[in-house]
Amino acid sequence: MSNVRVRDFLILIGHTWMCLDCRSKLLENPEATLVGHKLSEFEREKLLALTDSSYRTMMDLEAATGLTADEVSLAIDHPRSRLRHLGTRVRG
């Protein structure tokens, strides 16, 4: 399971569920926050439409993102969701 790449969309959702600072960054300036992430047009549209109320409950987040309960749980529990804050870059 650790070799399976989880979509950036899930990582963004999982991290912003847990990290209020990054959630604020995403909601205040989504275009800048999403730079460098591999997202489909559908995922980008969903992220751009998020609001504070999208994060009230996991059910609200599911409805706002189009994800299932299992996908939201995977996103929140995935180690990469805890790895790095939004806006940080790894130099290689």
Side-chain angles (χ1 to χ4, degrees), residues 60-75:
D60 289 331
L61 192 57
E62 292 163 27
T65 59
L67 296 172
T68 66
D70 287 343
E71 289 173 317
V72 171
S73 292
L74 171 68

Side-chain angles (χ1 to χ4, degrees), residues 1 7 14 69:
M1 183 72 165
R7 298 184 335 253

Side-chain angles (χ1 to χ4, degrees), residues 20-83:
L20 296 178
D21 288 341
C22 288
R23 183 187 308 173
S24 293
K25 284 181 191 177
L26 176 66
L27 296 177
E28 290 169 12
N29 195 356
E31 289 289 352
T33 307
L34 299 179
V35 169
H37 294 283
K38 295 177 184 173
L39 301 167
S40 71
E41 189 58 35
F42 173 81
E43 293 168 339
R44 180 172 294 284
E45 287 173 9
K46 290 295 185 181
L47 288 166
L48 293 175
L50 292 175
T51 64
D52 278 328
S53 63
S54 303
Y55 289 92
R56 284 185 305 198
T57 67
M58 286 182 67
M59 288 175 49
D60 289 331
L61 192 57
E62 292 163 27
T65 59
L67 296 172
T68 66
D70 287 343
E71 289 173 317
V72 171
S73 292
L74 171 68
I76 292 167
D77 294 338
H78 196 278
R80 279 189 58 215
S81 295
R82 293 176 170 83
L83 188 63

Side-chain angles (χ1 to χ4, degrees), residues 78-91:
H78 196 278
R80 279 189 58 215
S81 295
R82 293 176 170 83
L83 188 63
R84 193 178 329 119
H85 293 288
L86 301 182
T88 60
R89 299 282 182 253
V90 174
R91 304 214 186 259

